[in-house]
């Protein structure tokens, strides 16, 4: 839209099928961006003058400059990108980190001051092990991403779109990424995230942060181990032997009300995801399609849903 003003104008007309809300505010965003560039340029010039004044031996306070710079940064935050697969491997690696952190906290609480030195030693050993585990995952994740990027027709275009944009940062340092994911993330949003759908919800539940996910494709062949318990009343359609199994409370296979169904359809997927937490809510996004095939169910949890 930014690079095609004519297209932006066409898509800013409400009521048309091509309407895009972002197109209506694009002119204001461009003006704001230009103002930011001018402020930034002026700030850099003033800072340079400050350096010249100090070289003459005169005193100068740059508090005003810092305040202006903070205002600019609040207006335009730098986008940070993780070009890795958002999958169960990431969630599992972060789960190890959170478990180690909880174990260390419990261990330190149980130690008395008499064992303070020993506790510190154990803490350092565990932290080192945790860091090594994460770095191992991160190294493999980056290698996997590089392999996927090399299969793209024009991978250089993908890299340049991020690396050459001064307003974007590609995060690759293992310790920085771990710290951001564990401490700075406060919302996860996914619109038709395909294979990353379940991982989005799992990570949000692990970190106990709100999320809003709009599931779409199921990919049953890529995730053959997805099952959920259902009653015969909930699943009137009989499945194949590979899709549904019946179990009694004792675990012996027999005809009973309780059944275990394989996730193969969109409806199955919604049920499966909702059952990950009792407070997961469901709603519908306000858009429609003439064929009624557009997936618009949104699953979400709010901050208060994590309060005990």
């Amino acid at each position: 839209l930014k690079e095609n003003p004519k297209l932006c104008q066409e898509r800013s007309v409400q009521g048309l099928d091509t309407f895009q809300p972002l197109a209506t505010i694009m002119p204001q965003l461009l003006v704001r961006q230009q103002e930011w560039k001018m402020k930034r340029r002026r700030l850099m010039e003033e800072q340079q003058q400050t350096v010249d004044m100090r070289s003459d031996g005169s005193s100068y306070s740059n508090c005003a400059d810092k305040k202006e710079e903070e205002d600019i940064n609040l207006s335009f935050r730098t986008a940070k990108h993780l070009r890795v697969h958002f999958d169960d491997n990431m969630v599992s690696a972060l789960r190890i980190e959170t478990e180690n952190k909880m174990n260390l906290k419990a261990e330190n609480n149980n130690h008395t001051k008499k064992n303070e030195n020993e506790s510190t030693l154990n803490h350092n050993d565990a932290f080192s092990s945790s860091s090594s585990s994460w770095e191992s995952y991160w190294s493999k994740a980056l290698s996997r991403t590089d392999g996927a990027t090399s299969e793209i027709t024009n991978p250089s275009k993908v890299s340049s779109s991020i690396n050459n944009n001064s307003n974007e940062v590609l995060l690759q340092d293992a310790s920085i990424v771990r710290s951001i994911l564990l401490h700075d993330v406060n919302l996860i949003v996914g619109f038709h995230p395909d294979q990353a759908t379940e991982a989005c919800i799992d990570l949000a539940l692990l970190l106990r942060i709100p999320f809003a996910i709009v599931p779409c494709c199921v990919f049953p062949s890529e995730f053959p181990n997805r099952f959920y318990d259902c009653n015969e009343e909930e699943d009137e359609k009989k499945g194949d032997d590979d899709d549904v199994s019946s179990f009694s409370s004792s675990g012996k296979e027999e005809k009973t009300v309780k059944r275990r169904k394989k996730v193969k359809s969109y409806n199955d997927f919604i049920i499966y995801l909702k059952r990950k937490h009792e407070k997961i809510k469901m709603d519908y996004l306000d858009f429609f399609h003439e064929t009624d095939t557009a997936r618009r169910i949104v699953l979400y949890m709010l901050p208060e849903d994590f309060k005990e």
Side-chain angles (χ1 to χ4, degrees):
L1 294 176
K2 177 182 176 182
E3 297 175 358
N4 298 276
K6 184 178 179 180
L7 180 65
C8 182
Q9 185 176 7
E10 293 175 355
R11 295 188 179 181
S12 65
V13 181
Q14 297 189 32
L16 299 181
D17 292 339
T18 55
F19 173 66
Q20 269 185 277
L22 182 59
T24 62
I25 63 173
M26 184 58 68
Q28 296 96 306
L29 291 178
L30 293 177
V31 170
R32 192 176 179 188
Q33 184 185 53
Q34 187 62 31
E35 292 175 348
W36 174 81
K37 289 181 179 179
M38 293 176 63
K39 284 185 177 181
R40 187 69 176 174
R41 188 180 299 111
R42 186 174 65 253
L43 179 64
M44 293 177 66
E45 291 175 352
E46 292 177 355
Q47 288 178 339
Q48 183 60 42
Q49 292 176 2
T50 302
V51 173
D52 294 340
M53 291 175 65
R54 283 175 176 172
S55 64
D56 294 336
S58 57
S59 61
Y60 182 81
S61 174
N62 63 348
C63 292
D65 291 342
K66 288 183 178 179
K67 180 63 172 66
E68 184 177 5
E69 185 174 14
E70 289 175 0
D71 291 341
I72 293 174
N73 289 334
L74 287 174
S75 298
F76 287 88
R77 293 192 176 186
T78 301
K80 296 180 176 64
H81 300 268
L82 294 179
R83 195 161 68 217
V84 294
H85 290 81
F86 202 113
D87 56 11
D88 185 58
N89 292 327
M90 173 186 284
V91 178
S92 298
L94 289 172
R95 180 172 286 110
I96 292 175
E97 299 299 303
T98 56
E99 290 175 353
N100 286 341
K101 183 178 179 180
M102 292 176 61
N103 291 337
L104 286 173
K105 184 176 180 180
E107 181 181 344
N108 288 335
N109 289 338
N110 293 332
H111 275 73
T112 62
K113 289 185 177 181
K114 182 179 179 181
N115 298 323
E116 185 175 358
N117 293 333
E118 180 183 353
S119 174
T120 302
L121 179 61
N122 292 338
H123 179 281
N124 292 335
D125 290 344
F127 182 82
S128 176
S129 174
S130 172
S131 176
S132 176
S133 172
W134 171 260
E135 288 179 357
S136 176
Y137 153 75
W138 186 247
S139 177
K140 294 177 182 178
L142 288 182
S143 298
R144 182 184 174 197
T145 303
D146 291 339
T149 305
S150 65
E151 297 177 1
I152 300 176
T153 305
N154 190 0
S156 60
K157 184 176 181 180
V158 176
S159 299
S160 62
S161 66
I162 294 180
N163 297 334
N164 294 338
N165 191 325
S166 59
N167 290 333
E168 295 177 332
V169 175
L170 181 61
L171 298 173
Q172 292 184 315
D173 183 270
S175 59
I176 293 177
V177 170
R178 179 180 61 171
S179 177
I180 289 176
L181 291 175
L182 289 177
H183 306 295
D184 296 343
V185 178
N186 52 29
L187 174 67
I188 295 180
V189 178
F191 184 82
H192 294 185
D194 291 339
Q195 292 96 327
T197 302
E198 184 174 5
C200 288
I201 296 179
D202 287 343
L203 183 59
L205 294 177
L206 174 66
L207 301 180
R208 298 177 62 81
I209 58 176
F211 65 87
I213 308 296
V214 182
C216 186
C217 301
V218 182
F219 299 98
S221 60
E222 294 187 36
F223 300 92
N225 297 320
R226 286 173 173 166
F227 291 88
Y228 68 93
D229 293 331
C230 65
N231 297 326
E232 292 188 3
E233 294 82 0
E234 297 174 330
D235 182 33
E236 296 178 356
K237 183 179 178 181
K238 301 296 181 179
D240 299 329
D241 292 340
D242 292 337
D243 297 335
V244 180
S245 298
S246 299
F247 294 91
S248 67
S249 58
S250 62
K252 296 180 180 180
E253 191 165 354
E254 61 181 39
K255 266 194 170 182
T256 185
V257 176
K258 283 289 183 181
R259 306 205 304 166
R260 193 160 174 79
K261 191 174 187 303
K262 187 173 182 178
V263 175
K264 299 185 70 175
S265 69
Y266 174 73
N267 290 335
D268 291 338
F269 198 28
I270 296 298
I271 295 173
Y272 170 81
L273 294 173
K274 277 195 66 180
R275 292 189 179 182
K276 284 182 172 291
H277 196 285
E278 60 181 3
K279 291 189 177 180
I280 291 181
K281 301 177 177 63
M282 186 179 81
D283 209 331
Y284 294 84
L285 298 183
D286 190 18
F287 70 84
F288 301 90
H289 191 271
E290 56 186 8
T291 62
D292 198 29
T293 58
R295 303 307 190 188
R296 59 191 189 94
I297 290 179
V298 55
L299 302 177
Y300 67 98
M301 286 181 66
L302 304 175
E304 53 266 30
D305 294 326
F306 291 97
K307 295 179 180 179
E308 296 180 354

